[in-house]
Amino acid sequence: EVRLEESGGGLIGPGRSLRLSCRTSGFAFGESALTWFRQAPGQGLQWVGFIGSKTFGGTIEYAASVRGRFTLSRNDSGSVAYLQMSSLKTEDTAVYFCSRGYRGGRASPDYWGQGALVTVSS
Amino acid sequence: DIVMTQTPLSLSVTPGQPASISCKSSQSLLYSDAKTYLYWYLQKPGQAPKLLIYEASSRFSGVPNRFGGSGSGTDFTLKIGRVEAEDAGVYYCMQSVERPYTFGQGTRLEVK
């Protein structure tokens, strides 16, 4: 069974840093891309970034709104992905989801984690 | 970025009746591999989105066959043959032909 679980969310002050983890099981993590999304309270879904499989080049891309502040990484031996968030702003308040990209579909997301709430407030 | 436009934004349907949601993209979602990268997700309150339809018209594993996706190029439709109470939630279309992946605004389906 494919499973993804985010952790590390919480209440954090503006300008501070926070790291989210996405722990996975049930699939070949090292061969899979992962995409992060977020959803501000009461709003729609927004793409945050993409980290490809090292097997296929390891591409990393970010949304313009987080580029330079957020960093994606992965630990293939532990089947875990990370979203390091720095210089947080109040507008980064959202539930953050990680998702698996399926092969053969340009790594488009199929399974998602349940999400981690990040609240940026003083 | 590719703009995705969903209509309607809300829908109220009686159980057993059909429902249809439209999604239009600002550019073609047909990729050079001949696949069309349009996806439909259902999100229920407090939950993550769940994949219903991938590549415009293929049902994901475990999705009931009352859900069907169609369309090509820039115009797509999600149809629910006979709505059930469990189908209530917000439906999103998403494109992944290029990054950033972008979503429609979402369509809230109420089952009366």
Side-chain angles (χ1 to χ4, degrees):
Chain A
E1 180 188 6
V2 173
R3 298 193 68 170
L4 302 97
E5 183 175 4
E6 303 87 346
S7 60
L11 174 63
I12 190 84
R16 301 290 299 274
S17 298
L18 195 66
R19 189 179 79 164
L20 301 183
S21 300
C22 173
R23 289 180 167 75
T24 73
S25 62
F27 64 97
F29 181 85
E31 297 177 11
S32 301
L34 296 132
T35 302
W36 290 81
F37 298 92
R38 67 184 181 183
Q39 187 170 38
Q43 302 300 308
L45 295 158
Q46 182 184 30
W47 182 84
V48 172
F50 170 94
I51 181 165
S53 160
K54 291 174 185 172
T55 304
F56 299 103
T59 300
I60 300 178
E61 296 183 32
Y62 300 96
S65 58
V66 307
R67 194 175 299 130
R69 300 188 298 122
F70 288 14
T71 303
L72 292 173
S73 61
R74 59 190 297 158
N75 176 343
D76 288 352
S77 61
S79 299
V80 184
Y82 301 100
L83 173 60
Q84 176 71 47
M85 302 182 289
S86 303
S87 303
L88 281 161
K89 305 175 181 180
T90 55
E91 53 263 42
D92 294 320
T93 294
V95 175
Y96 285 76
F97 299 98
C98 61
S99 65
R100 180 189 79 157
Y102 72 94
R103 293 184 63 185
R106 299 195 75 242
S108 303
D110 54 5
Y111 292 95
W112 298 50
Q114 86 290 348
L117 175 61
V118 174
T119 302
V120 184
S121 174
S122 55
Chain B
D1 297 359
I2 296 175
V3 177
M4 306 294 289
T5 304
Q6 279 180 242
T7 55
L9 298 185
S10 66
L11 201 51
S12 185
V13 179
T14 301
Q17 294 301 303
S20 181
I21 301 170
S22 171
C23 177
K24 296 183 187 299
S25 57
S26 60
Q27 62 192 69
S28 175
L29 303 186
L30 177 64
Y31 193 61
S32 55
D33 61 4
K35 295 180 181 179
T36 296
Y37 288 96
L38 185 282
Y39 295 74
W40 291 98
Y41 297 90
L42 167 59
Q43 186 177 33
K44 298 184 179 182
Q47 296 185 18
K50 290 188 177 177
L51 180 61
L52 299 174
I53 303 291
Y54 65 97
E55 296 169 23
S57 60
S58 296
R59 258 190 313 276
F60 191 55
S61 174
V63 174
N65 60 13
R66 63 179 180 274
F67 289 93
S70 62
S72 62
T74 61
D75 288 352
F76 303 93
T77 302
L78 175 71
K79 291 185 178 177
I80 309 174
R82 294 177 186 171
V83 169
E84 298 187 7
E86 66 183 25
D87 300 337
V90 181
Y91 290 78
Y92 292 96
C93 61
M94 185 204 80
Q95 67 78 23
S96 58
V97 74
E98 67 176 38
R99 290 186 285 269
Y101 302 158
T102 48
F103 294 85
Q105 312 95 305
T107 295
R108 186 174 301 278
L109 174 64
E110 175 194 43
V111 182
K112 293 185 278 193

